[in-house]
Amino acid sequence: MKKTKTVNQKVRSIDGKGIMMGRAAYTDDFAPKAALVIKVLRSPHAFARIKRIDKSKAEALPGVEIVLTHEDFPRNPFTRAGQGYPEPSPHDKFALDDHVRYVGDEIACVAAHDEKTAEAALKLIEVDYEVKEPVLDFEKAKGNESVIHAEESIHEMFPIGFDPEKNVAAAYHMEVDDVEKRLSESEVTIESSFYTQAQAHTALEPHTVNARIDYLNRLVIYSSTQTPFHVRRILSQALEIPLNRIRVIKPRVGGGFGGKQAIHGEMLAAMVTMKTKKPSRLTYTRKEVFEATYSRHPMRIDMRLGATKDGRITAIDCYGLSDTGAYGEHALTVFMVTGSKVLPLYNKVDAVRFHGDIVYTNRMSSGAFRGYGAVQGNYALESAIDMLAEKLGMDPLALRQKNMIAEGESSPIFEIMGEGTAGTAMNMESCKLDYCVKRGMELIGYKDKYPRQEIGKNKLRSVGMAIAMQGSGIPYIDMGAATIKLNDDGFYNLLVGATDIGQGSDTILAQIAAEELGVDVEKMVVYSSDTDLTPFDAGAYASSTTYVSGNAVWKAAKTMKERLIAEAARSLGVEPEDIEFQGTSFKNKKDDEELTLSDLSNTLFYNDDQKQLSVTESYYGTKSPPPFMAGFVEIEIDKETGEYEVIDYVSVVDCGVTINPKLAQGQIEGGVVQGLGMAMTEDVKIAANGKLITADFLNYKIPTGKDIRKLTTEFAESYEKSGPYGAKSVGEIGIDTPPAAIANAVYNALGVRIKSLPVTPEKILSALKEKNGKHHMMGMRSHDGRNL
Amino acid sequence: MKFANYHRAESIEDAYEILQKDKTNTIVGGGLWLKLSRREIDTAVDLCDLGLDTIEEDEDVIRIGAMTTLSRIEESDALRNVASGIFPRAVSFIMGVQLRNVATIGGSVMGRYGFSDCITPLLALDARLDFHERGTVPLVDFLHEKGKVTDILKAVIIEKSAAKGFFKKVQKTAHDFPILNVAIVKKEKGTRIAIGSRPSVASLAKEAMEYLEKAPTPDEVIIAETARLAKETLKYSSNHRASAEYRAHLAEVYTRRGLMEVNGLED
Amino acid sequence: MKIETVVNGHKRIFDITPDELLADTLKRYDYTSVRKGCDTTSCGVCTILVDGSPVPSCAYLTARAEGKEITTVEGIAEEAERLAEHFGDEGADQCGFCNPGIALSVHALKLSRKSFTEENLRHYLVGHLCRCSGYQSQIKAIQRYLGDAK
Ligand SMILES: Cc1cc2nc3c(=O)[nH]c(=O)nc-3n(C[C@H](O)[C@H](O)[C@H](O)COP(=O)(O)OP(=O)(O)OC[C@H]3O[C@@H](n4cnc5c(N)ncnc54)[C@H](O)[C@@H]3O)c2cc1C
Ligand code: FES
Ligand code: FES
């Protein structure tokens, strides 16, 4: 790789200062002062039909501008999921409906001149319900008497196994070779079920939207979204507003993690503003974010592994049951990632099967969440691998090293499984997993610390680990585009559809363009995610931005360079081949005459053959090169109480070349800590009637800076030929390993295998008691987390 | 929380008078817990101008004004010197600095919260409450009372006698309510064991304390039996944070460890 | 009711309802940096300084701010900019929604002149949830900023 000045160098984010200084940046900062305040009436029932709804009293309240119910919306089913079109998610949602399907589902909304009035008006809306029997246990959903979606016009966009009469949102099956046969022939097998919980994203900025009608009589939406272009399309289809009448602007987003890869408040704000012709704003309360957006798909995963006595893994069978909640957003695709971005880790098997159902329940919808199914699958597989190693009498690391995927290799799964459809075959052009594992062992001190050490009477320290892979965008489906525009005085605008949601994409895309064009990052002024002004981009999801949008930017910069060289040659009266491009200047190789970029641009604007230089390029992936990671954790655990603490979490990552090493580290560490939250404390809990218990930060516990003592993060030297400057993705991979690494560390400490997340001290203790043969504590949960 | 009027009391008598005028009238301490309530209040009476925010010390006692913030308590040298400083330590585990800069000891005691990390150590310290109307009431008695309080707390009083203390808060993250908390104070005359967040409000483990009182010099066996009694004789319940069984188990473990510690024994 | 305060060094008169909370008042009077991340005083996003101490503005009665000095991050622009440089160097800046609140708490700490170990600092900042960074880079950046880094 040739020496770079900006890429892979220490470059500060381009926007950090203004953000720290509190400048207007986020959606709500741009809400017009006079905007109507929207408040949403939400269902108190897990499942009910609205028999009658009377809004007259609410509308009569002084200060109330409008009240909307399902009667005010066109009846067009859509999916809120922000995905490529046609979406692999069922169209099973109406803006407002005469049925409510979870506690928190929208019934109506009020727009009033202030918040207090809007809230008072909510109480005046009269609703009569026919309460129906809810389905809250996802293991009882399929074929349940209670059918959650019986509406007529709902449909799938192409076959995804949609079978609403059976409460099945989607289903999937694939098999390579004959798994049952291979398993029955295996010398050693293990079999186990794992449960993963719903996890809440908890981006600190709540979901926020505001709407107005501009002087061209067009609807302008500001939204804290990860997918502005998808939002525009979905709004247009659902509300029957021509696409050209809508503009969606994404300001700074205060965290997304998948939770904003969908339409949430946009539909209501758009309708209020369309009907009243007045600006409106809707900011979810934290309770609404917890209760009525998305969480991670809870799953049960049944893993069966077969191996030879000497530790060659021969077969993997993975059955999954996934809970999509009330609506089927991302149902199939998240589920497929549970297989497709997990099972290829052990690519030398003779047979592999992945199958299962994604079912509806009367819980809040599940949706996209960093890791997108891979976390769930990783926890199950990487726990099972440790179990297999024990049965084989092998070191779990040795078992992994013997069987895991390596550079130059492939897996048949890549070709079979894609985004709700078939996938794309690919070889691992870059895969430093082997290095990641070895380096991680050194950093954590595996040799000395595995499996455990006594420290004091009640305390142990132990280590655990897991390996993981993810993807880099969705091949042949998601496209990103970039425009680079030259300005006088020789600076550029970089216009991208890519969506910075805090991950720093504006910065790294500017770095890529600046590198190619040989200028400082300050000369590359970025504007992103405005459907009127920037080119298209599918959005910030599927770990696509660096790889897909980055490639688009790189292409645009290369094209711009050609155009610049041509103009410089013309200006100097030579051929393009005679020009040496030096970024801020051009040299005539023949006589060393120089022309500065600034002079060239000024001339192009004002003096000679005037023109605006502007190029747009697009890119879609033809493969999705996986980043890889080895995660190692050291914990200190109290034998008597099951309480444990993370002493160090070591991540060694192969994400190709890091465009911005510090921001890449931030992505990994943020992901790891979010994964540790999932592993240790985070748990969306509902009461017996379906009402959310964990509806605030007091009851839903995410890690603080005091909870994880140390993070150690390194990157493998790696170069992905198809990526911009050798880069792959880095946004999701960090979250994948912690659940299995923690469960493995707990096992290595105490010999108890926790098969349901989160791995709580209480479950550990309960499992210990069971293991030690003491009579079981009444009413406690067993180690697999099921109520006894 | 909603209120129609805000009144800054000019004297404690003034505050008391207004408090009696309407059933909904309420004292504001830090206002943090009030904010979370759905109460509709006529007049909120603010005590912030009454100089109730000081920690005073004489030879025998420390008087903590009701409006003293938790941060002040955390930083008080006087309180750090009492019973191994368990009270400031316990307070330091409550949420973040911002919250502790506003939350008051008055609001923390008067709420009789089950989850309180203040009440458990104060109970072990045998604190007394000084009310405007009723005068001094032991905390332990106040906790048994039910119903709305119409009196005003002026101060919390702690004795300064030599003692060793232990406090443990079990929580999921460093920014959490307790799953359970245990406070132990050993004075020359005896040992007090308080266990809170079971999840109901803190209680003394009376049977355990009595057993310990009658027993000879505590050793490992006696301490284990005391801890068992703390587990067996108090009521523990389940909620989404933890089961009754787990809470009872934690109570036993930390009572034992705490007693070992205050008795200078190695656990 | 009307109250008089000093915000970022300037006298301000706010026209408020008796039960109004400071975060709402400040937002209404165009202090854009004051934002909210929760409804239960448990995230730290809305942190401001009252008489130099960090408080959650989402739960602080505006009426009680009568006669007090309020600081929002707009009032410590230079300090915030310097802190942001350290955040930039450590890659600690992500979505940034938590940042203004942290800047104010860190500023208060700096004024207190207390010396802080990493452990102390982690304890001190426990009320500032951040869902993006994983915290370690923030802690490093703040240590550098405070001049405590080894
Ligand atoms: C998000 C959050 C998390 C918390 N976590 C914890 C925790 O983990 N552990 C813990 O121990 N505590 C916790 N607390 C409680 C906190 O420490 C305070 O105890 C609580 O906020 C009450 O204090 P305050 O000053 O705000 O009281 P206020 O809300 O002002 O008052 C509470 C009640 O006490 C009454 N009152 C106040 N002062 C007096 C007085 N002088 N005389 C008579 N009545 C009075 C009020 O009328 C009101 O009914 C938490 C609080 C919040 C908001
Ligand atoms: S907004 Fe969360 S603490 Fe104030
Ligand atoms: S940077 Fe996003 S919450 Fe801290």
Side-chain angles (χ1 to χ4, degrees), chain C residues 58-100:
Chain C
C58 69
Y60 195 97
L61 283 173
T62 309
R64 192 178 263 185
E66 167 88 50
K68 297 207 188 291
E69 281 198 29
I70 294 170
T71 311
T72 70
V73 86
E74 286 93 339
I76 57 159
E78 273 176 35
E79 296 292 319
E81 194 171 351
R82 277 204 40 229
L83 181 61
E85 286 170 2
H86 289 279
F87 267 55
D89 287 342
E90 295 299 333
D93 41 356
Q94 291 198 33
C95 86
F97 209 67
C98 63
N99 287 9

Tab-separated table of all heavy atoms in Angstrom, chain C residues 58-100:
chain	number	residue	atom	x	y	z
C	58	CYS	N	-33.039	19.150	33.844
C	58	CYS	CA	-34.368	18.606	33.583
C	58	CYS	C	-35.165	18.424	34.854
C	58	CYS	O	-36.352	18.119	34.800
C	58	CYS	CB	-34.264	17.263	32.865
C	58	CYS	SG	-33.592	15.953	33.906
C	59	ALA	N	-34.524	18.560	36.014
C	59	ALA	CA	-35.248	18.341	37.264
C	59	ALA	C	-35.081	19.529	38.209
C	59	ALA	O	-35.542	19.494	39.344
C	59	ALA	CB	-34.759	17.073	37.945
C	60	TYR	N	-34.422	20.562	37.748
C	60	TYR	CA	-34.132	21.697	38.621
C	60	TYR	C	-35.205	22.755	38.415
C	60	TYR	O	-35.428	23.213	37.291
C	60	TYR	CB	-32.749	22.255	38.276
C	60	TYR	CG	-32.184	23.189	39.317
C	60	TYR	CD1	-31.284	22.725	40.271
C	60	TYR	CD2	-32.540	24.531	39.345
C	60	TYR	CE1	-30.759	23.582	41.227
C	60	TYR	CE2	-32.024	25.391	40.306
C	60	TYR	CZ	-31.131	24.908	41.245
C	60	TYR	OH	-30.609	25.742	42.192
C	61	LEU	N	-35.868	23.130	39.496
C	61	LEU	CA	-36.931	24.129	39.376
C	61	LEU	C	-36.357	25.474	38.936
C	61	LEU	O	-35.441	25.991	39.580
C	61	LEU	CB	-37.612	24.322	40.720
C	61	LEU	CG	-38.591	23.249	41.161
C	61	LEU	CD1	-39.049	23.517	42.591
C	61	LEU	CD2	-39.785	23.209	40.205
C	62	THR	N	-36.915	26.023	37.879
C	62	THR	CA	-36.419	27.324	37.430
C	62	THR	C	-36.632	28.362	38.523
C	62	THR	O	-35.777	29.218	38.759
C	62	THR	CB	-37.140	27.757	36.145
C	62	THR	OG1	-37.082	26.691	35.208
C	62	THR	CG2	-36.467	28.968	35.544
C	63	ALA	N	-37.759	28.247	39.212
C	63	ALA	CA	-38.055	29.218	40.274
C	63	ALA	C	-36.932	29.281	41.301
C	63	ALA	O	-36.649	30.326	41.875
C	63	ALA	CB	-39.365	28.848	40.957
C	64	ARG	N	-36.284	28.151	41.508
C	64	ARG	CA	-35.218	28.120	42.501
C	64	ARG	C	-33.930	28.776	41.988
C	64	ARG	O	-33.018	29.062	42.748
C	64	ARG	CB	-34.946	26.665	42.879
C	64	ARG	CG	-34.088	26.533	44.087
C	64	ARG	CD	-33.884	25.102	44.463
C	64	ARG	NE	-34.807	24.683	45.515
C	64	ARG	CZ	-34.762	23.485	46.084
C	64	ARG	NH1	-33.878	22.605	45.698
C	64	ARG	NH2	-35.613	23.166	47.034
C	65	ALA	N	-33.856	29.005	40.697
C	65	ALA	CA	-32.645	29.594	40.120
C	65	ALA	C	-32.598	31.112	40.286
C	65	ALA	O	-31.628	31.757	39.897
C	65	ALA	CB	-32.544	29.237	38.642
C	66	GLU	N	-33.632	31.664	40.875
C	66	GLU	CA	-33.657	33.101	41.157
C	66	GLU	C	-32.355	33.525	41.840
C	66	GLU	O	-31.953	32.929	42.840
C	66	GLU	CB	-34.856	33.386	42.078
C	66	GLU	CG	-34.880	34.744	42.734
C	66	GLU	CD	-35.576	35.788	41.862
C	66	GLU	OE1	-36.693	35.511	41.404
C	66	GLU	OE2	-34.978	36.863	41.628
C	67	GLY	N	-31.690	34.502	41.262
C	67	GLY	CA	-30.480	35.026	41.892
C	67	GLY	C	-29.252	34.153	41.716
C	67	GLY	O	-28.202	34.435	42.283
C	68	LYS	N	-29.379	33.074	40.956
C	68	LYS	CA	-28.217	32.191	40.818
C	68	LYS	C	-27.513	32.394	39.472
C	68	LYS	O	-28.061	32.989	38.559
C	68	LYS	CB	-28.661	30.743	40.954
C	68	LYS	CG	-29.248	30.418	42.319
C	68	LYS	CD	-29.052	28.964	42.636
C	68	LYS	CE	-29.767	28.512	43.877
C	68	LYS	NZ	-29.247	29.039	45.137
C	69	GLU	N	-26.314	31.856	39.415
C	69	GLU	CA	-25.559	31.930	38.161
C	69	GLU	C	-25.641	30.612	37.424
C	69	GLU	O	-25.276	29.568	37.961
C	69	GLU	CB	-24.087	32.227	38.459
C	69	GLU	CG	-23.864	33.685	38.741
C	69	GLU	CD	-22.402	34.061	38.602
C	69	GLU	OE1	-21.677	33.419	37.809
C	69	GLU	OE2	-22.001	34.994	39.317
C	70	ILE	N	-26.096	30.711	36.204
C	70	ILE	CA	-26.271	29.510	35.395
C	70	ILE	C	-25.209	29.494	34.294
C	70	ILE	O	-24.937	30.526	33.687
C	70	ILE	CB	-27.682	29.510	34.761
C	70	ILE	CG1	-28.729	29.380	35.861
C	70	ILE	CG2	-27.821	28.391	33.735
C	70	ILE	CD1	-30.138	29.617	35.387
C	71	THR	N	-24.636	28.331	34.074
C	71	THR	CA	-23.690	28.208	32.968
C	71	THR	C	-24.132	27.079	32.051
C	71	THR	O	-24.342	25.958	32.516
C	71	THR	CB	-22.273	27.895	33.481
C	71	THR	OG1	-21.951	28.811	34.520
C	71	THR	CG2	-21.252	28.005	32.357
C	72	THR	N	-24.282	27.401	30.776
C	72	THR	CA	-24.490	26.355	29.783
C	72	THR	C	-23.199	26.262	28.976
C	72	THR	O	-22.304	27.093	29.144
C	72	THR	CB	-25.657	26.688	28.828
C	72	THR	OG1	-25.250	27.776	27.993
C	72	THR	CG2	-26.912	27.077	29.599
C	73	VAL	N	-23.127	25.287	28.100
C	73	VAL	CA	-21.853	25.098	27.414
C	73	VAL	C	-21.525	26.305	26.515
C	73	VAL	O	-20.351	26.588	26.257
C	73	VAL	CB	-21.838	23.749	26.653
C	73	VAL	CG1	-22.444	23.882	25.285
C	73	VAL	CG2	-20.436	23.175	26.577
C	74	GLU	N	-22.543	27.046	26.113
C	74	GLU	CA	-22.278	28.268	25.345
C	74	GLU	C	-21.411	29.228	26.149
C	74	GLU	O	-20.666	30.031	25.586
C	74	GLU	CB	-23.590	28.978	24.969
C	74	GLU	CG	-24.397	28.307	23.863
C	74	GLU	CD	-25.448	27.331	24.383
C	74	GLU	OE1	-25.310	26.858	25.539
C	74	GLU	OE2	-26.398	27.015	23.632
C	75	GLY	N	-21.510	29.139	27.474
C	75	GLY	CA	-20.770	30.050	28.341
C	75	GLY	C	-19.336	29.635	28.578
C	75	GLY	O	-18.560	30.380	29.187
C	76	ILE	N	-18.972	28.448	28.138
C	76	ILE	CA	-17.573	28.025	28.312
C	76	ILE	C	-17.016	27.573	26.951
C	76	ILE	O	-16.309	26.573	26.848
C	76	ILE	CB	-17.428	26.887	29.359
C	76	ILE	CG1	-18.286	25.658	28.977
C	76	ILE	CG2	-17.782	27.361	30.747
C	76	ILE	CD1	-17.815	24.370	29.641
C	77	ALA	N	-17.336	28.376	25.928
C	77	ALA	CA	-17.025	27.972	24.554
C	77	ALA	C	-15.554	27.598	24.361
C	77	ALA	O	-15.239	26.582	23.741
C	77	ALA	CB	-17.431	29.082	23.602
C	78	GLU	N	-14.665	28.418	24.910
C	78	GLU	CA	-13.244	28.131	24.667
C	78	GLU	C	-12.815	26.833	25.328
C	78	GLU	O	-12.059	26.042	24.758
C	78	GLU	CB	-12.384	29.272	25.212
C	78	GLU	CG	-12.220	30.379	24.203
C	78	GLU	CD	-11.456	31.548	24.791
C	78	GLU	OE1	-10.542	31.328	25.609
C	78	GLU	OE2	-11.815	32.692	24.429
C	79	GLU	N	-13.276	26.646	26.550
C	79	GLU	CA	-12.953	25.414	27.265
C	79	GLU	C	-13.500	24.204	26.504
C	79	GLU	O	-12.835	23.181	26.366
C	79	GLU	CB	-13.550	25.442	28.670
C	79	GLU	CG	-12.988	26.535	29.555
C	79	GLU	CD	-11.528	26.268	29.880
C	79	GLU	OE1	-11.187	25.100	30.145
C	79	GLU	OE2	-10.718	27.215	29.854
C	80	ALA	N	-14.731	24.361	26.043
C	80	ALA	CA	-15.361	23.244	25.317
C	80	ALA	C	-14.573	22.925	24.058
C	80	ALA	O	-14.370	21.760	23.706
C	80	ALA	CB	-16.801	23.602	24.975
C	81	GLU	N	-14.101	23.958	23.408
C	81	GLU	CA	-13.338	23.740	22.183
C	81	GLU	C	-12.039	22.990	22.493
C	81	GLU	O	-11.654	22.068	21.777
C	81	GLU	CB	-13.049	25.083	21.521
C	81	GLU	CG	-12.558	24.939	20.106
C	81	GLU	CD	-12.477	26.265	19.361
C	81	GLU	OE1	-12.963	27.289	19.895
C	81	GLU	OE2	-11.913	26.265	18.263
C	82	ARG	N	-11.408	23.367	23.575
C	82	ARG	CA	-10.156	22.678	23.943
C	82	ARG	C	-10.420	21.222	24.319
C	82	ARG	O	-9.693	20.318	23.933
C	82	ARG	CB	-9.480	23.397	25.116
C	82	ARG	CG	-8.654	24.592	24.666
C	82	ARG	CD	-7.578	24.913	25.695
C	82	ARG	NE	-6.979	23.703	26.229
C	82	ARG	CZ	-6.820	23.466	27.532
C	82	ARG	NH1	-7.192	24.345	28.432
C	82	ARG	NH2	-6.266	22.331	27.937
C	83	LEU	N	-11.478	21.022	25.066
C	83	LEU	CA	-11.832	19.648	25.429
C	83	LEU	C	-12.125	18.839	24.161
C	83	LEU	O	-11.709	17.681	24.038
C	83	LEU	CB	-13.039	19.646	26.368
C	83	LEU	CG	-13.521	18.268	26.847
C	83	LEU	CD1	-12.427	17.538	27.630
C	83	LEU	CD2	-14.783	18.400	27.722
C	84	ALA	N	-12.802	19.487	23.215
C	84	ALA	CA	-13.153	18.793	21.966
C	84	ALA	C	-11.894	18.368	21.211
C	84	ALA	O	-11.876	17.318	20.566
C	84	ALA	CB	-14.019	19.690	21.090
C	85	GLU	N	-10.855	19.171	21.301
C	85	GLU	CA	-9.606	18.782	20.630
C	85	GLU	C	-9.065	17.480	21.219
C	85	GLU	O	-8.615	16.591	20.497
C	85	GLU	CB	-8.567	19.895	20.758
C	85	GLU	CG	-8.905	21.070	19.849
C	85	GLU	CD	-8.043	22.302	20.104
C	85	GLU	OE1	-7.142	22.252	20.973
C	85	GLU	OE2	-8.301	23.320	19.431
C	86	HIS	N	-9.129	17.365	22.523
C	86	HIS	CA	-8.674	16.121	23.152
C	86	HIS	C	-9.591	14.956	22.798
C	86	HIS	O	-9.124	13.844	22.578
C	86	HIS	CB	-8.583	16.286	24.671
C	86	HIS	CG	-7.448	17.182	25.092
C	86	HIS	ND1	-6.166	16.730	25.175
C	86	HIS	CD2	-7.417	18.478	25.406
C	86	HIS	CE1	-5.380	17.731	25.543
C	86	HIS	NE2	-6.123	18.807	25.692
C	87	PHE	N	-10.878	15.240	22.764
C	87	PHE	CA	-11.816	14.193	22.338
C	87	PHE	C	-11.450	13.742	20.922
C	87	PHE	O	-11.421	12.558	20.624
C	87	PHE	CB	-13.269	14.702	22.379
C	87	PHE	CG	-13.979	14.417	23.676
C	87	PHE	CD1	-13.438	14.830	24.887
C	87	PHE	CD2	-15.196	13.736	23.697
C	87	PHE	CE1	-14.090	14.572	26.087
C	87	PHE	CE2	-15.858	13.463	24.894
C	87	PHE	CZ	-15.299	13.894	26.084
C	88	GLY	N	-11.162	14.708	20.074
C	88	GLY	CA	-10.792	14.393	18.694
C	88	GLY	C	-9.541	13.542	18.631
C	88	GLY	O	-9.457	12.584	17.859
C	89	ASP	N	-8.572	13.871	19.448
C	89	ASP	CA	-7.310	13.125	19.424
C	89	ASP	C	-7.500	11.683	19.887
C	89	ASP	O	-6.784	10.786	19.469
C	89	ASP	CB	-6.269	13.810	20.315
C	89	ASP	CG	-5.762	15.092	19.683
C	89	ASP	OD1	-5.941	15.252	18.451
C	89	ASP	OD2	-5.222	15.949	20.410
C	90	GLU	N	-8.452	11.492	20.785
C	90	GLU	CA	-8.664	10.132	21.313
C	90	GLU	C	-9.764	9.389	20.565
C	90	GLU	O	-10.080	8.246	20.899
C	90	GLU	CB	-9.031	10.194	22.808
C	90	GLU	CG	-7.920	10.723	23.704
C	90	GLU	CD	-6.664	9.855	23.648
C	90	GLU	OE1	-6.773	8.647	23.377
C	90	GLU	OE2	-5.566	10.395	23.865
C	91	GLY	N	-10.386	10.042	19.611
C	91	GLY	CA	-11.518	9.402	18.937
C	91	GLY	C	-12.699	9.222	19.871
C	91	GLY	O	-13.503	8.306	19.717
C	92	ALA	N	-12.802	10.118	20.846
C	92	ALA	CA	-13.867	9.970	21.849
C	92	ALA	C	-15.169	10.614	21.402
C	92	ALA	O	-16.176	10.493	22.070
C	92	ALA	CB	-13.418	10.598	23.168
C	93	ASP	N	-15.131	11.335	20.291
C	93	ASP	CA	-16.357	12.005	19.864
C	93	ASP	C	-17.099	11.156	18.855
C	93	ASP	O	-16.595	10.842	17.791
C	93	ASP	CB	-16.078	13.398	19.290
C	93	ASP	CG	-14.836	13.439	18.401
C	93	ASP	OD1	-14.144	12.404	18.289
C	93	ASP	OD2	-14.579	14.494	17.807
C	94	GLN	N	-18.279	10.769	19.244
C	94	GLN	CA	-19.130	10.061	18.282
C	94	GLN	C	-20.376	10.915	18.066
C	94	GLN	O	-20.270	11.998	17.515
C	94	GLN	CB	-19.396	8.648	18.761
C	94	GLN	CG	-18.108	7.794	18.689
C	94	GLN	CD	-18.401	6.316	18.726
C	94	GLN	OE1	-19.409	5.845	18.242
C	94	GLN	NE2	-17.485	5.548	19.313
C	95	CYS	N	-21.546	10.414	18.468
C	95	CYS	CA	-22.745	11.199	18.140
C	95	CYS	C	-22.748	12.535	18.852
C	95	CYS	O	-23.359	13.485	18.407
C	95	CYS	CB	-24.007	10.409	18.444
C	95	CYS	SG	-24.584	10.534	20.149
C	96	GLY	N	-22.078	12.601	19.997
C	96	GLY	CA	-21.901	13.880	20.673
C	96	GLY	C	-23.069	14.345	21.516
C	96	GLY	O	-22.995	15.398	22.140
C	97	PHE	N	-24.128	13.564	21.578
C	97	PHE	CA	-25.305	14.033	22.309
C	97	PHE	C	-24.998	14.195	23.798
C	97	PHE	O	-25.581	15.023	24.473
C	97	PHE	CB	-26.472	13.054	22.107
C	97	PHE	CG	-27.824	13.705	22.196
C	97	PHE	CD1	-28.229	14.621	21.227
C	97	PHE	CD2	-28.695	13.421	23.239
C	97	PHE	CE1	-29.485	15.227	21.301
C	97	PHE	CE2	-29.954	14.023	23.318
C	97	PHE	CZ	-30.347	14.926	22.352
C	98	CYS	N	-24.072	13.388	24.296
C	98	CYS	CA	-23.708	13.462	25.709
C	98	CYS	C	-22.647	14.528	25.975
C	98	CYS	O	-22.338	14.816	27.124
C	98	CYS	CB	-23.179	12.103	26.172
C	98	CYS	SG	-21.666	11.600	25.327
C	99	ASN	N	-22.062	15.081	24.916
C	99	ASN	CA	-20.850	15.872	25.107
C	99	ASN	C	-21.007	17.200	25.851
C	99	ASN	O	-20.220	17.475	26.753
C	99	ASN	CB	-20.167	16.121	23.762
C	99	ASN	CG	-19.494	14.866	23.221
C	99	ASN	OD1	-19.665	13.783	23.760
C	99	ASN	ND2	-18.741	15.000	22.164
C	100	PRO	N	-21.986	18.048	25.507
C	100	PRO	CA	-22.068	19.313	26.232
C	100	PRO	C	-22.211	19.126	27.742
C	100	PRO	O	-21.553	19.831	28.526
C	100	PRO	CB	-23.304	19.988	25.627
C	100	PRO	CG	-23.375	19.453	24.231
C	100	PRO	CD	-22.930	18.016	24.362
